[in-house]
């Protein structure tokens, strides 16, 4: 079924008239609802004025009654320590009376012992035995190393001896020998 242009215009005008009639009908229904405002709603009464306040101006804020806080000296310091915890009480060093009465003996300060070498950073992974040389496979972190006797590793460790039960390293900065077990002989 085809509708020509004239019939389309007639349908559109009819729909427009129906919409305008509906709007007018709703608007007129609101005007004739029969409810009328007889008396405006009562305003709430203001609360009684505070003591010492001027009763003539109850809505006024009394700025003189407001007090400011004392400024914090660390408020503008971005690197000051802040914590929710209370600060710990400061400890007072107690000196025994008998020890305080005696003069201190003059002894030379004792030098701390020299630091030892760090623990070996290597893990044993395996060994390759050939007629020419023994190669030992180690890991250092995520690096894999193949070392031979007499080799220097990163200018820090020297492989001194490869035996069937252990590797002997020398920590070059301190000169201390360290051992890494590699298993029992079979």
């Amino acid at each position: 079924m085809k509708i020509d242009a004239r019939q389309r215009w007639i349908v559109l005008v009819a729909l427009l008239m129906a919409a305008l009639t509906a709007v007018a009908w709703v608007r007129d229904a609101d005007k004739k609802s029969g409810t009328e405002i007889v008396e405006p709603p009562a305003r709430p009464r203001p609360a009684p004025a505070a003591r010492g306040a001027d009763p003539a101006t109850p809505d006024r804020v009394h700025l003189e009654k407001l007090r400011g806080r004392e400024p914090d000296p660390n408020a503008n310091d971005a690197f000051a320590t802040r914590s929710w915890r209370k600060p710990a009480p400061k400890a007072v060093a107690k000196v025994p009376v008998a020890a305080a009465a005696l003069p201190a003996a003059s002894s030379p300060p004792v030098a701390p012992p020299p630091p030892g070498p760090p623990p070996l950073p290597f893990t044993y992974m395996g060994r390759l035995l050939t007629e020419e040389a023994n190669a030992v496979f180690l890991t250092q972190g995520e690096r894999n190393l193949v070392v031979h006797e007499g080799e220097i590793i990163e200018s820090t460790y020297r492989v001194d001896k490869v035996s069937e039960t252990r590797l002997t390293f020398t920590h070059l900065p301190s000169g201390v020998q360290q051992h890494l077990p590699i298993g029992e002989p079979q």
Side-chain angles (χ1 to χ4, degrees):
M1 171 174 133
K2 272 193 161 181
I3 300 176
D4 62 345
R6 185 172 183 208
Q7 289 177 340
R8 265 189 251 152
W9 277 105
I10 292 172
V11 170
L12 286 175
V13 169
L15 288 175
L16 179 64
M17 293 301 290
L20 290 174
T21 305
V23 169
W25 180 55
V26 170
R27 188 178 61 183
D28 288 340
D30 286 342
K31 287 182 181 178
K32 297 177 183 177
S33 63
T35 57
E36 293 181 22
I37 298 177
V38 177
E39 188 176 313
R43 288 187 179 179
R45 296 186 181 232
R51 290 183 192 167
D54 186 12
T57 57
D59 295 336
R60 208 181 141 135
V61 176
H62 299 282
L63 295 177
E64 59 273 355
K65 289 187 177 182
L66 298 176
R67 330 179 256 151
R69 291 188 293 170
E70 293 297 321
D72 185 14
N74 294 330
N76 293 332
D77 187 7
F79 300 103
T81 56
R82 294 179 174 97
S83 176
W84 292 104
R85 297 181 184 169
K86 293 181 181 177
K90 295 180 180 179
V92 177
K94 294 182 180 179
V95 179
V97 176
L102 296 176
S106 60
S107 62
V110 178
L120 285 173
F122 307 113
T123 304
Y124 174 74
M125 296 302 290
R127 176 173 43 183
L128 177 66
L129 299 173
T130 61
E131 294 177 9
E132 297 91 37
N134 289 337
V136 178
F137 300 98
L138 302 173
T139 59
Q140 181 182 14
E142 293 187 15
R143 293 182 41 203
N144 293 325
L145 303 171
V146 179
V147 296
H148 302 281
E149 194 170 309
E151 202 171 297
I152 295 178
I153 304 170
E154 293 183 359
S155 303
T156 307
Y157 289 96
R158 180 180 61 226
V159 181
D160 291 332
K161 184 176 180 187
V162 178
S163 70
E164 291 194 20
T165 58
R166 67 182 180 178
L167 286 171
T168 304
F169 294 94
T170 300
H171 184 250
L172 296 176
S174 65
V176 176
Q177 282 195 342
Q178 294 175 291
H179 305 287
L180 179 68
I182 59 173
E184 297 295 322
Q186 295 183 2

